[in-house]
Amino acid sequence: MASENNGSRSSNVQTPRKVALVTGITGQDGSYLTELLLSKGYEVHGLIRRSSNFNTQRINHIYIDPHNANKALMKLHYADLSDASSLRRWLDVIKPDEVYNLAAQSHVAVSFEIPDYTADVVATGALRLLEAVRSHTADSGRAVRYYQAGSSEMFGATPPPQSETTPFHPRSPYAASKVAAHWYTVNYREAYGLFACNGILFNHESPRRGENFVTRKITRALGRIKVGLQRKLFLGNLQASRDWGFAGDYVEAMWLMLQQEKADDYVVATEESHTVEEFLEVSFGYLGLDWKEHVEIDERYFRPAEVDNLKGDASKAKEVLGWKPKVGFEKLVKMMVDEDLEIAKREKLLVDAGHMDAQQQP
């Protein structure tokens, strides 16, 4: 009887929740990844930088006050990739099973203007976090799995299609910093046996994309043009070709990488390439507008060193991870246009009521 009772009690013991630590949790990818992890029963801890302005709008809809302890499965902590001590401290406190390093100064054009900062956060920041994970695992004896967010920009001038074996030829301080972070991750995997994966993600967009990235810049302006708040949109190189996918699809690939028996590196892409001009045609056409009547070229938006064509070969991710994108190019564009048109309509109401000035845009 005693053994039967013990068996009954043990069957009621709940499996402990997996714990994930996410840097860059307030970004586009961080918000989608957090939603995914919460849906899988994880407890998620995000590291955020201190700022006088809150930058949590992408995760506000899933935030629960930590005083509601039974429901608050996402928690935020102040730290910075430039502060190694804060990284190690939170690793020791949180004791994560998985670490996702998504934080970065991720704007390519801006990296030419602040190259030192970009390298410190993107390259050396990844090294600081890897070393914090290594020392934490060495001291605690715990196993921690690590994901490093790579970028198709690392391929730069190398002709497409680009796969895991394609040589890197970065064309910006951002891309060069991502290459360094990639090789730091490989080195820690090989030197210390750390379960560390690189996800080389090609361009991935969504309605949560930052407004200074070209895809969101286009759809944001398009919404305003449609409702009469803006007339012109200024862009740079319209012939740049990119492999654009949906960020919500891509975060699943990140998670899958850390569920494998062996750590490895994977390209994540749609395997289709489209130019900025094609993006304009689909987005403006969707709302019955001619982009040529509204778009003007501004030389200031050309990069010092251009990346002409990025198109991924995601065969390995499909075969090993069983991953494939669900959202195609046109569906992605229309999703972004729909969201930004609604935002523009709300802006129009404020302008018409005299609560907002629309003069910021030409």
Side-chain angles (χ1 to χ4, degrees):
M1 290 294 291
S3 61
E4 289 177 6
N5 289 338
N6 287 337
S8 174
R9 284 196 296 270
S10 63
S11 66
N12 293 328
V13 176
Q14 290 186 335
T15 303
R17 290 183 183 275
K18 273 192 171 183
V19 178
L21 175 63
V22 181
T23 72
I25 194 172
T26 59
Q28 170 190 253
D29 294 3
S31 65
Y32 282 114
L33 177 63
T34 299
E35 287 176 345
L36 176 70
L37 294 174
L38 290 174
S39 74
K40 293 183 179 297
Y42 279 65
E43 179 181 312
V44 181
H45 294 260
L47 301 186
I48 61 173
R49 290 175 297 165
R50 190 269 165 192
S51 172
S52 56
N53 296 316
F54 282 112
N55 186 33
T56 57
Q57 61 268 25
R58 292 186 182 96
I59 55 173
N60 282 342
H61 65 290
I62 50 177
Y63 180 80
I64 297 174
D65 190 290
H67 293 96
N68 193 343
N70 293 329
K71 291 186 178 180
L73 295 177
M74 180 188 73
K75 300 176 174 65
L76 303 177
H77 313 280
Y78 287 114
D80 199 297
L81 287 179
S82 64
D83 182 357
S85 64
S86 67
L87 302 177
R88 175 59 198 268
R89 180 174 68 255
W90 284 120
L91 279 164
D92 290 344
V93 171
I94 295 165
K95 297 179 174 59
D97 300 294
E98 299 170 3
V99 173
Y100 295 85
N101 184 28
L102 311 184
Q105 188 302 98
S106 59
H107 199 283
V108 174
V110 172
S111 76
F112 284 101
E113 299 183 28
I114 50 172
D116 288 16
Y117 174 77
T118 300
D120 185 47
V121 172
V122 178
T124 311
L127 178 60
R128 292 186 187 103
L129 185 54
L130 279 162
E131 176 58 21
V133 170
R134 184 205 65 78
S135 60
H136 168 75
T137 57
D139 292 346
S140 67
R142 301 181 63 254
V144 178
R145 297 190 169 198
Y146 176 91
Y147 171 83
Q148 172 61 38
S151 168
S152 58
E153 289 287 335
M154 300 189 298
F155 295 117
T158 307
Q162 295 103 354
S163 71
E164 295 83 3
T165 58
T166 302
F168 296 137
H169 187 156
R171 299 269 283 171
S172 67
Y174 167 75
S177 299
K178 279 294 187 184
V179 170
H182 175 96
W183 287 115
Y184 285 142
T185 303
V186 172
N187 178 247
Y188 269 66
R189 183 170 69 220
E190 295 176 349
Y192 303 111
L194 198 67
F195 193 106
C197 299
N198 283 296
I200 307 172
L201 273 57
F202 279 64
N203 293 66
H204 43 291
E205 318 298 315
S206 76
R208 300 179 193 175
R209 188 58 140 153
E211 292 183 22
N212 58 349
F213 288 84
V214 67
T215 51
R216 186 76 196 288
K217 182 179 179 180
I218 290 170
T219 58
R220 190 74 174 87
L222 174 56
R224 292 173 58 86
I225 289 169
K226 183 66 176 178
V227 301
L229 293 178
Q230 188 172 332
R231 292 179 298 110
K232 293 294 182 182
L233 168 61
F234 296 91
L235 297 172
N237 181 13
L238 302 188
Q239 299 312 309
S241 189
R242 295 291 183 269
D243 186 329
W244 278 305
F246 173 52
D249 290 342
Y250 284 36
V251 298
E252 183 185 12
M254 299 178 188
W255 176 78
L256 285 169
M257 290 179 207
L258 297 195
Q259 312 314 309
Q260 305 306 306
E261 290 185 12
K262 177 188 173 189
D264 208 343
D265 307 323
Y266 299 88
V267 160
V268 180
T270 69
E271 302 184 328
E272 293 181 13
S273 192
H274 300 273
T275 63
V276 175
E277 185 172 322
E278 287 178 77
F279 196 100
L280 287 167
E281 289 172 352
V282 173
S283 57
F284 274 74
Y286 180 48
L287 294 188
L289 298 174
D290 182 355
W291 68 268
K292 294 177 182 176
E293 295 179 2
H294 301 280
V295 174
E296 292 188 11
I297 303 302
D298 188 333
E299 295 293 330
R300 80 183 74 182
Y301 296 123
F302 283 82
R303 300 177 185 176
E306 285 288 342
V307 174
D308 297 321
N309 193 356
L310 296 174
K311 180 181 178 182
D313 175 359
S315 307
K316 182 178 176 181
K318 290 179 179 178
E319 180 182 342
V320 179
L321 305 179
W323 177 89
K324 62 180 180 179
K326 300 180 182 71
V327 177
F329 177 69
E330 290 202 8
K331 184 178 179 181
L332 170 65
V333 175
K334 292 174 181 178
M335 175 198 305
M336 295 177 68
V337 172
D338 286 340
E339 184 78 16
D340 280 329
L341 181 59
E342 290 305 309
I343 292 174
K345 287 177 180 177
R346 293 196 293 271
E347 281 185 322
K348 185 71 162 58
L349 287 174
L350 292 172
V351 170
D352 291 345
H355 299 303
M356 184 176 175
D357 189 349
Q359 69 178 359
Q360 294 100 324
Q361 300 292 340

